[in-house]
């Protein structure tokens, strides 16, 4: 119970003067209770650290053994003079030619197997983020007024949405489809297809123009959209519109939440590893109008306030000749899924309310569940990206805490409350928080909400500069679901902060509950272009948040 209470924070809200009743003329107040994101490293599970190290060893065995073999070979050869080395080679060639040829053949065969079995490098050639037209731009006040004019909400629901918007971190230049202004039902297949065509074709047109490739050159297509999944699929709609080739490998991912963009990347990477000399396009989007909830359930009204129009299109390649023109190389993808837990599974859940109106219900436990998934993901990612010094400090502190914890459990006659209080008061029991700023130069955290970003910054001890791209994306474009991490990367490029060799961490989380990370390394210095979605408003950012 003590640990549960530590996650709660209270806030006194002034409600004004009581107008009627026995307390008329007196000021009234209410207490608002909020649940904070749990401390991500206070309960790190050792098995996730082991998982990260296991992944690292499996992929780093060649890097560990090849230098040793080279060192041994160099030591043997270095002890001989040039004449002795030549004489031994001539003697071997003269008397044991078969052995020499066999050894050479084994050497060539080993090198061939090594290079053929090594994973192909995956390059990001370029990406595009759709910027809607200005007639779809709305302020927060206009948003509430549109909701009022649609006559779908009562006054209490409008006040609730206004409170959420005021605390959301969203600015006055986000985009919504015109269909939500209508008094009629906007969650129709027709409205969904029109919005999908607008954002998806807009992003792909820009991508093909920037990269100078034809749609027929694309061999792999992966599309993710969580809520809107028509038949034929969105991937089929793209193939039909651009008249892509008949043997294209197409995939359509639905219902996977805001982290589906990285899941799509993982699928595209696997397909590129199995299909050499190919291009892959990954499209990430969400339909705002089709997901619009016209009811009065407060937990279902929250998505209305946060989600905004957006779409990203990414071009990947496994061709080594594309290295000179590529922007980034994919280093790691780490995926975490907590769907086996019932609370995690239902924390973001699509269902009907009591009036049979469809919407997405957001649980009060979302912050706690998201924190647990995030903790697991970054613990697994740590051994892959952190410097050795940080890994040793973190691992030693973790082992120490587990040993001390085991010893404490063995003591008789001590209550759980006394153990927890002594543990909290002991400064040596505090876990070491790895400095992820040593592993990455840039951070693209999913722009879910201001509260979530604040808690991520606090727990990972990131600076305001590290969180700037995420906060400014939330302010300018809102929560664009799975495409938000690409608007954040576009912000960093527009600011010309990405230099050659820089590492970028993209992290997203969504329903399921899932938390996924992608790590990129910059191949060259990135300069801003006129096609960047931030180009025309960059001089106004960053803004106070």
């Amino acid at each position: 119970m003590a640990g549960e209470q530590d996650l709660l924070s209270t806030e006194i809200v002034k409600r004004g003067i009581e107008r009627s009743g026995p307390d008329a003329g007196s000021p009234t107040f209410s207490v608002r209770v909020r649940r904070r994101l749990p401390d991500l490293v206070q309960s790190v599970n050792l098995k996730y650290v082991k998982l990260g190290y296991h992944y690292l060893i499996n992929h780093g065995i060649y890097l560990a053994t090849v230098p040793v073999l080279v060192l041994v070979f160099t030591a043997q050869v270095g002890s001989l003079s040039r004449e002795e080395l030549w004489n031994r080679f001539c003697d071997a060639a003269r008397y044991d030619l078969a052995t020499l040829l066999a050894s050479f053949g084994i050497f060539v065969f080993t090198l061939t197997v090594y290079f053929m079995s090594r994973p192909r490098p995956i390059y990001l050639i370029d990406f595009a983020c759709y910027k809607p037209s200005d007639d779809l731009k709305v302020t927060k006040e206009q948003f509430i007024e549109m909701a009022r004019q649609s006559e779908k909400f009562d006054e209490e629901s409008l006040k609730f949405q206004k409170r959420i918007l005021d605390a959301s971190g969203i600015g006055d230049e986000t985009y919504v489809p015109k269909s939500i202004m209508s008094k009629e039902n906007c969650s129709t297949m027709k409205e969904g297809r029109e919005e999908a065509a607008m954002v998806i074709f807009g992003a792909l047109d820009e991508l093909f123009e920037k990269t100078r490739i034809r749609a027929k050159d694309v061999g792999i297509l992966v599309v993710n959209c969580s809520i809107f999944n028509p038949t034929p699929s969105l991937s089929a709609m793209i193939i039909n519109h651009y008249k892509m080739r008949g043997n294209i490998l197409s995939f359509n991912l639905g219902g996977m939440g805001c982290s589906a963009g990285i899941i799509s990347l993982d699928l595209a990477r696997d397909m590129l590893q199995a299909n050499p000399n190919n291009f892959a396009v990954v499209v990430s989007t969400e339909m705002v109008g089709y997901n619009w909830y016209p009811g009065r359930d407060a937990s279902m009204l929250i998505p209305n306030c946060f989600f905004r129009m957006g779409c990203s299109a990414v071009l990947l390649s496994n061709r080594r000749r594309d290295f000179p023109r590529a922007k980034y190389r994919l280093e790691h993808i780490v995926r975490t899924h907590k769907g086996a837990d019932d609370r995690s599974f239902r924390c973001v859940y699509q269902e009907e309310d009591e009036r049979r109106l469809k919407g997405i219900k957001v649980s009060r436990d979302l912050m706690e569940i998201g924190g647990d998934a995030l903790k697991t993901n970054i613990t697994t990612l740590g051994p892959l990206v952190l410097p050795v010094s940080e890994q040793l400090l973190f691992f030693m502190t973790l082992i120490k805490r587990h040993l001390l914890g085991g010893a404490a459990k063995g003591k008789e006659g001590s209550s759980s409350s006394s153990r927890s209080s002594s543990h909290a008061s002991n400064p040596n029991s505090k876990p070491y928080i790895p400095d992820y700023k040593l592993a990455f130069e840039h951070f693209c955290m999913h722009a879910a909400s201001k509260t979530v970003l604040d808690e991520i910054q606090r727990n990972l001890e990131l600076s305001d500069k590290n969180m700037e791209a995420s906060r400014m994306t939330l302010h300018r474009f809102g929560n664009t679901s799975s495409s938000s991490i690409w608007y954040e990367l576009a912000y960093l490029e527009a600011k010309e902060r990405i230099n050659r060799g820089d590492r970028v961490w993209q992290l997203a989380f969504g329903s399921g509950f899932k938390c996924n990370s992608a790590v990129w390394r910059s191949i060259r210095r990135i300069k801003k272009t006129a096609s960047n979605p931030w180009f025309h408003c960059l001089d106004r950012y960053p803004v106070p948040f």
Side-chain angles (χ1 to χ4, degrees):
M1 290 296 296
E4 185 71 14
Q5 292 176 1
D6 289 340
L7 297 179
L8 302 178
S9 63
T10 58
E11 177 186 359
I12 298 178
V13 181
K14 185 176 180 181
R15 303 189 60 139
I17 305 297
E18 187 70 26
R19 296 184 178 181
S20 59
D23 297 326
S26 302
T28 59
F29 302 87
S30 63
V31 178
R32 179 181 299 166
V33 181
R34 296 180 180 271
R35 180 183 291 273
R36 296 186 294 105
L37 194 68
D39 203 340
L40 300 182
V41 293
Q42 287 292 338
S43 58
V44 171
N45 198 324
L46 185 61
K47 70 178 181 179
Y48 298 118
V49 180
K50 291 180 180 178
L51 180 62
Y53 277 102
H54 179 71
Y55 184 91
L56 179 64
I57 291 173
N58 283 348
H59 289 75
I61 188 67
Y62 298 114
L63 297 178
T65 56
V66 171
V68 175
L69 295 176
V70 172
L71 184 63
V72 172
F73 178 77
T74 304
Q76 291 291 332
V77 174
S79 62
L80 302 175
S81 65
R82 185 178 300 177
E83 292 76 9
E84 290 176 333
L85 186 62
W86 176 253
N87 290 335
R88 289 196 179 189
F89 179 78
C90 292
D91 291 341
R94 186 181 302 115
Y95 298 108
D96 203 359
L97 183 59
T99 302
L100 183 63
L101 291 176
S103 301
F104 182 75
I106 293 174
F107 177 73
V108 172
F109 176 77
T110 303
L111 282 181
T112 303
V113 171
Y114 167 71
F115 283 107
M116 290 184 66
S117 62
R118 193 174 61 169
R120 299 175 182 274
I122 305 301
Y123 301 116
L124 190 157
I125 305 300
D126 212 332
F127 67 96
C129 296
Y130 178 68
K131 181 176 174 292
S133 58
D134 287 344
D135 62 319
L136 300 177
K137 189 183 296 184
V138 295
T139 65
K140 288 180 284 189
E141 291 185 1
Q142 289 173 340
F143 182 88
I144 297 299
E145 187 59 32
M146 286 163 44
R148 178 178 284 107
Q149 291 177 0
S150 68
E151 298 180 0
K152 297 174 182 176
F153 308 98
D154 59 13
E155 198 61 31
E156 184 178 351
S157 298
L158 291 171
K159 289 181 179 179
F160 175 78
Q161 292 182 78
K162 188 177 187 306
R163 289 200 305 270
I164 294 294
L165 275 174
D166 290 340
S168 65
I170 294 177
D172 290 327
E173 293 186 289
T174 57
Y175 304 91
V176 296
K178 292 182 178 180
S179 59
I180 68 172
M181 309 174 192
S182 171
K183 297 180 182 180
E184 305 296 331
N185 178 23
C186 61
S187 301
T188 63
M189 295 300 294
K190 178 183 178 182
E191 299 291 350
R193 289 183 188 276
E194 289 179 354
E195 183 181 346
M198 179 196 307
V199 299
I200 293 177
F201 297 157
L204 284 173
D205 287 345
E206 182 181 326
L207 179 69
F208 291 143
E209 182 180 355
K210 291 170 69 173
T211 57
R212 304 296 181 185
I213 72 162
R214 302 175 304 163
K216 289 184 178 293
D217 296 331
V218 177
I220 301 164
L221 174 65
V222 184
V223 182
N224 68 267
C225 181
S226 189
I227 301 299
F228 182 62
N229 290 284
T231 300
S233 65
L234 295 177
S235 59
M237 182 183 75
I238 295 172
I239 294 171
N240 174 263
H241 179 79
Y242 290 100
K243 309 305 177 187
M244 292 179 164
R245 65 198 200 195
N247 63 345
I248 188 172
L249 303 176
S250 65
F251 303 88
N252 200 93
L253 306 182
M256 306 198 77
C258 299
S259 66
I262 296 179
I263 298 175
S264 297
L265 280 177
D266 194 21
L267 176 58
R269 178 186 64 174
D270 291 344
M271 291 298 101
L272 286 171
Q273 294 291 355
N275 297 272
N277 197 35
N278 242 315
F279 287 117
V281 168
V282 175
V283 178
S284 301
T285 188
E286 192 58 78
M287 300 303 110
V288 177
Y290 193 78
N291 190 37
W292 187 252
Y293 172 66
R296 300 173 183 178
D297 189 318
S299 61
M300 292 184 173
L301 286 169
I302 295 176
N304 284 7
C305 302
F306 284 100
F307 286 100
R308 297 292 185 267
M309 294 178 68
C311 180
S312 64
V314 181
L315 178 65
L316 305 174
S317 171
N318 59 8
R319 308 188 311 174
R320 296 185 187 275
R321 62 178 177 271
D322 287 326
F323 174 82
R325 68 173 183 143
K327 285 186 173 181
Y328 307 94
R329 183 178 67 249
L330 183 59
E331 300 265 306
H332 304 288
I333 290 180
V334 174
R335 294 170 55 182
T336 300
H337 204 306
K338 293 288 185 177
D341 176 70
D342 290 340
R343 283 203 315 154
S344 299
F345 176 71
R346 295 190 65 91
C347 72
V348 180
Y349 201 81
Q350 187 180 22
E351 60 183 358
E352 291 86 12
D353 63 8
E354 58 185 11
R355 298 167 58 198
R356 309 299 295 172
L357 296 174
K358 182 183 63 179
I360 296 179
K361 191 167 189 175
V362 180
S363 168
R364 295 178 181 271
D365 299 329
L366 177 62
M367 294 292 289
E368 179 186 353
I369 292 168
D372 183 58
L374 183 60
K375 174 196 67 180
T376 303
N377 188 265
I378 65 176
T379 305
T380 308
L381 178 67
L384 304 178
V385 298
L386 288 169
V388 176
S389 59
E390 287 294 303
Q391 294 189 45
L392 289 176
L393 286 172
F394 175 66
F395 194 71
M396 290 171 60
T397 308
L398 186 62
I399 293 296
K400 182 179 178 181
R401 289 180 61 242
H402 275 264
L403 292 177
L404 292 176
K409 290 179 182 178
K411 294 181 179 179
E412 296 181 359
S414 60
S415 65
S416 61
S417 60
S418 63
R419 286 201 305 269
S420 61
S421 61
S422 63
H423 180 80
S425 61
N426 183 7
N428 294 326
S429 67
K430 184 178 180 180
Y432 176 75
I433 302 176
D435 188 358
Y436 282 90
K437 297 187 292 294
L438 297 176
F440 307 105
E441 284 75 30
H442 309 287
F443 298 81
C444 297
M445 306 296 182
H446 170 51
S449 70
K450 181 179 183 298
T451 303
V452 171
L453 294 179
D454 288 343
E455 294 299 328
I456 290 176
Q457 179 179 5
R458 180 182 65 84
N459 278 274
L460 296 182
E461 298 183 352
L462 301 178
S463 67
D464 291 339
K465 193 79 169 179
N466 298 142
M467 300 296 295
E468 182 181 317
S470 300
R471 295 186 188 281
M472 297 308 105
T473 296
L474 180 63
H475 183 275
R476 176 64 180 85
F477 293 98
N479 183 346
T480 60
S481 189
S482 56
S483 63
S484 68
I485 54 177
W486 296 105
Y487 285 87
E488 295 164 16
L489 187 56
Y491 178 85
L492 294 171
E493 290 188 355
K495 289 290 186 179
E496 297 188 349
R497 294 178 182 173
I498 299 181
N499 298 310
R500 180 178 180 181
D502 284 359
R503 295 154 297 181
V504 181
W505 181 14
Q506 290 182 320
L507 184 141
F509 38 89
S511 60
F513 194 86
K514 299 179 286 293
C515 180
N516 303 312
S517 291
V519 178
W520 302 90
R521 184 177 292 273
S522 174
I523 296 175
R524 55 185 170 88
R525 177 175 174 79
I526 310 298
K527 297 183 178 180
K528 65 179 178 181
T529 61
S531 58
N532 191 296
W534 295 89
F535 185 79
H536 298 289
C537 62
L538 190 64
D539 57 332
R540 294 186 274 115
Y541 286 90
V543 298
F545 201 83

